[in-house]
Amino acid sequence: MSAVWGPGTPPVVVADQDEYRADVAVVGSGAGGATTAWALADSGARVLVLERGDFLPHEPENWEPEAVLGQRRYDTTETWSTPSGERFRPMAYYNVGGATKIYGAALIRMRESDFGVVEHLDGMSPAWPFAYADLEPYYGEAERLFKVHGRSGVDPTEPPRSTPFAYPPVAHEPMVAELSAALERGGLHPHHLELGIQRGPGEPCVRCGTCDCFPCLVSAKSDAEVVAMRPALRSDTVRLLTGTRATRLHTDPTGRRVTGISAVRAGRTVRVRAGVVVVSCGAVNSAVLLLRSPAGAGDHTVANSSGLVGRNLMFHNNSVVLAVDPRRRNTVRYQKTLAVNDFYRGGPGFPYPMGNLQLMGKVYPPAVAGLYPYVPGPVLAWLLRRSVDWWVMSEDLPDPGNRVVLRGGRIVVDRRARNIRAHHRLVSTVRSHMRDAGYPLTSFRTMGPAATGHQCGTVVAGTDPRTSVLDGYCRSHDVRNLFVVDAGFFPSSAAVNPTLTIVAQALRTARQGGLLPA
């Protein structure tokens, strides 16, 4: 395969071949796939990453709210469906780096208790097949790789750490610092949000107002392309196929070994053969790829003897809370620096977990116009110039009835939110605290079915092949040379952003999980 491998060959493959060969094929270049490639770059194994999209362009529109939020310039144009047949355009991103190109870069460790059984108001959150202590060293490595800025010792739910943050917290602007002090006076423990950005002496971050939900024009966000995929491509053993959409996996007649991948590249079908296959397409699309792939001569699809592929689909229960002080304008440019976890495990008079609060990047009218369709545009703009904006996040509980399926080749997302009463309690709590902090007007909107970020749980990990799809290292119970490394493996969703846990588990799998072919 001299057209692909070896010194001097381009890291982004330009050779058009009918077949490509590798030791490890990775499907997807988001947080899980790019980190896996980075972790294997010095292993000597030939790693080929398949990405259905291309590099997201650096252009002025990266920082234009109307282009990014109003026109959804970088979102996929494909549509998914609800069970009733209603089509919607998901918040999905097919480009090198995946959804991390537009994420808010909040990189938070799950709490220690999240790895065990947790009782919620409306059900139970199951235990993971490994403990926080097993993942903790890799959380530290993930924080260093993604240049996470933070500070220990303030958050009352902070889990144990064996290493300190390598980068200091991102400073609050004056108005956020005032809010933090007001919340402290109200008895809370606000802390600096853990953020993956490249800010400091010699670093490119300019602390702009277009970070959360926007691509970074100056590559200062610690997204998977910038910190993992591009560094991995400096190795002679890592290559990237862009514009290559995997359509199915092939197995041997027993269905116990993957032998190759069919993909569409430049309008024609190509084949990728590899000793090990890592699927990292995101929880929905990873499940879809498995569901499209018959397992040998058996009566089920790849890795699906349990019948659980696609089931237990979870998103977080998310709401936007706008808190307005009509007496003054919000002059903050980079707002997303503050978080509160006082209600993560419960609160006064409510012994059940509620969730996490974190400031959003400053909200622009195109981002919420659809949530407030009856508010005239000038009025909405006036309110947003005076608002502080919170992302309110609660755990969604696993349910086998919540799932992603294929109907006539179309992706159908069948999910009813679980644990919503605790989420509404959290929304009411933050609104009350914001009024006490000097913001008399508050409003909230809960995100609808098109808000498909933070998807997880479709190929759950566990110890029993009858009740899980993967083992604790993301290896298929059924197919020994198949791994799924994205949030699909999550047995529960917890109530923090999933990216850092995906990255840490990708590192753990690459280091300890037997991922390299024998």
Side-chain angles (χ1 to χ4, degrees):
M1 297 282 102
S2 59
V4 173
W5 304 104
T9 59
V12 181
V13 177
V14 294
D16 288 325
Q17 301 173 191
D18 294 326
E19 182 176 289
Y20 301 85
R21 292 180 179 268
D23 299 315
V24 180
V26 180
V27 186
S29 66
T35 301
T36 298
W38 180 88
L40 298 179
D42 296 326
S43 68
R46 298 177 306 167
V47 180
L48 184 62
V49 180
L50 283 64
E51 170 54 53
R52 66 187 291 176
D54 207 332
F55 289 91
L56 193 147
H58 284 227
E59 55 188 4
E61 288 85 353
N62 290 170
W63 284 353
E64 292 182 4
E66 179 56 35
V68 175
L69 305 170
Q71 301 169 13
R72 301 181 64 182
R73 183 179 181 87
Y74 304 110
D75 298 26
T76 180
T77 57
E78 74 178 5
T79 58
W80 298 351
S81 295
T82 65
S84 64
E86 179 185 355
R87 295 188 181 186
F88 64 93
R89 188 177 166 192
M91 293 178 181
Y93 306 90
Y94 303 145
N95 44 253
V96 179
T100 67
K101 293 300 293 183
I102 55 82
Y103 76 155
L107 294 168
I108 309 169
R109 298 184 181 204
M110 286 174 53
R111 311 294 92 175
E112 193 172 16
S113 60
D114 287 328
F115 292 82
V117 175
V118 179
E119 183 180 1
H120 292 264
L121 177 62
D122 290 325
M124 303 294 290
S125 180
W128 287 40
F130 54 86
Y132 171 82
D134 298 311
L135 197 59
E136 196 281 331
Y138 302 100
Y139 269 135
E141 185 179 4
E143 287 169 344
R144 292 188 293 275
L145 176 62
F146 275 68
K147 298 188 175 182
V148 178
H149 295 243
R151 174 181 292 156
S152 298
V154 181
D155 177 2
T157 70
E158 182 183 20
R161 303 177 59 89
S162 60
T163 54
F165 284 102
Y167 301 91
V170 179
H172 300 319
E173 293 181 44
M175 194 167 177
V176 175
E178 291 173 14
L179 172 60
S180 180
L183 294 175
E184 283 190 52
R185 290 193 296 272
L188 303 184
H189 300 81
H191 62 279
H192 287 82
L193 180 62
E194 301 93 322
L195 292 168
I197 61 174
Q198 298 175 56
R199 180 166 175 78
E203 297 284 14
C205 179
V206 295
R207 198 176 176 120
C208 69
T210 49
C211 185
D212 195 2
C213 296
F214 291 81
C216 185
L217 183 59
V218 296
S219 296
K221 187 187 297 186
S222 293
D223 63 54
E225 176 204 339
V226 170
V227 302
M229 194 70 253
R230 285 189 180 274
L233 290 174
R234 297 181 192 131
S235 168
D236 289 335
T237 58
V238 179
R239 295 291 181 266
L240 173 65
L241 276 172
T242 59
T244 305
R245 180 172 62 89
T247 55
R248 65 167 288 183
L249 306 180
H250 298 272
T251 70
D252 64 13
T254 69
R256 301 284 294 175
R257 184 172 184 81
V258 173
T259 58
I261 306 166
S262 284
V264 175
R265 175 173 166 83
R268 64 189 185 90
T269 299
V270 300
R271 188 77 168 256
V272 177
R273 297 189 182 277
V276 171
V277 172
V278 179
V279 175
S280 300
C281 307
V284 169
N285 278 300
S286 287
V288 165
L289 179 59
L290 300 182
L291 291 170
R292 284 190 174 131
S293 305
D299 58 357
H300 60 81
T301 54
V302 167
N304 199 22
S305 65
S306 65
L308 291 175
V309 171
R311 294 187 178 272
N312 295 298
L313 173 66
M314 293 169 281
F315 302 107
H316 284 130
N317 295 316
N318 292 319
S319 291
V320 174
V321 170
L322 305 180
V324 177
D325 181 352
R327 298 161 296 187
R328 61 172 178 168
R329 294 186 59 154
N330 182 350
T331 58
V332 174
R333 281 176 56 82
Y334 191 96
Q335 180 175 263
K336 194 179 179 70
T337 58
L338 186 69
V340 176
N341 276 331
D342 289 78
F343 312 106
Y344 199 88
R345 299 191 181 103
F350 191 81
Y352 301 101
M354 284 189 270
N356 166 269
L357 310 174
Q358 56 189 259
L359 286 184
M360 303 172 68
K362 191 66 196 85
V363 171
Y364 297 94
V368 293
L371 299 177
Y372 293 89
Y374 304 113
V375 178
V379 175
L380 183 60
W382 186 91
L383 291 169
L384 291 177
R385 286 194 294 270
R386 291 160 177 80
S387 70
V388 168
D389 319 301
W390 288 96
W391 188 250
V392 181
M393 180 162 45
S394 303
E395 183 163 348
D396 185 18
L397 301 179
D399 182 338
N402 285 344
R403 60 190 300 201
V404 54
V405 297
L406 285 169
R407 291 181 184 165
R410 177 173 293 279
I411 296 174
V412 176
V413 174
D414 186 355
R415 179 249 182 180
R416 180 175 297 175
R418 297 282 310 279
N419 202 35
I420 198 70
R421 288 193 295 164
H423 180 66
H424 287 160
R425 179 75 176 237
L426 181 59
V427 169
S428 296
T429 299
V430 68
R431 295 178 74 186
S432 175
H433 276 277
M434 289 304 291
R435 287 192 291 267
D436 291 344
Y439 292 81
L441 305 179
T442 65
S443 174
F444 82 97
R445 291 293 186 273
T446 299
M447 305 305 289
T452 54
H454 295 195
Q455 56 190 246
C456 56
T458 58
V459 285
V460 295
T463 57
D464 188 342
R466 296 169 299 179
T467 58
S468 58
V469 179
L470 309 173
D471 70 12
Y473 287 103
C474 291
R475 185 200 296 261
S476 163
H477 290 303
D478 296 348
V479 185
R480 301 310 291 164
N481 67 331
L482 174 65
F483 295 76
V484 184
V485 183
D486 55 35
F489 89 86
F490 284 29
S492 64
S493 66
V496 294
N497 311 57
T499 302
L500 190 72
T501 300
I502 298 170
V503 173
Q505 177 69 346
L507 294 169
R508 178 173 177 264
T509 296
R511 304 275 192 261
Q512 292 188 330
L515 192 151
L516 289 174

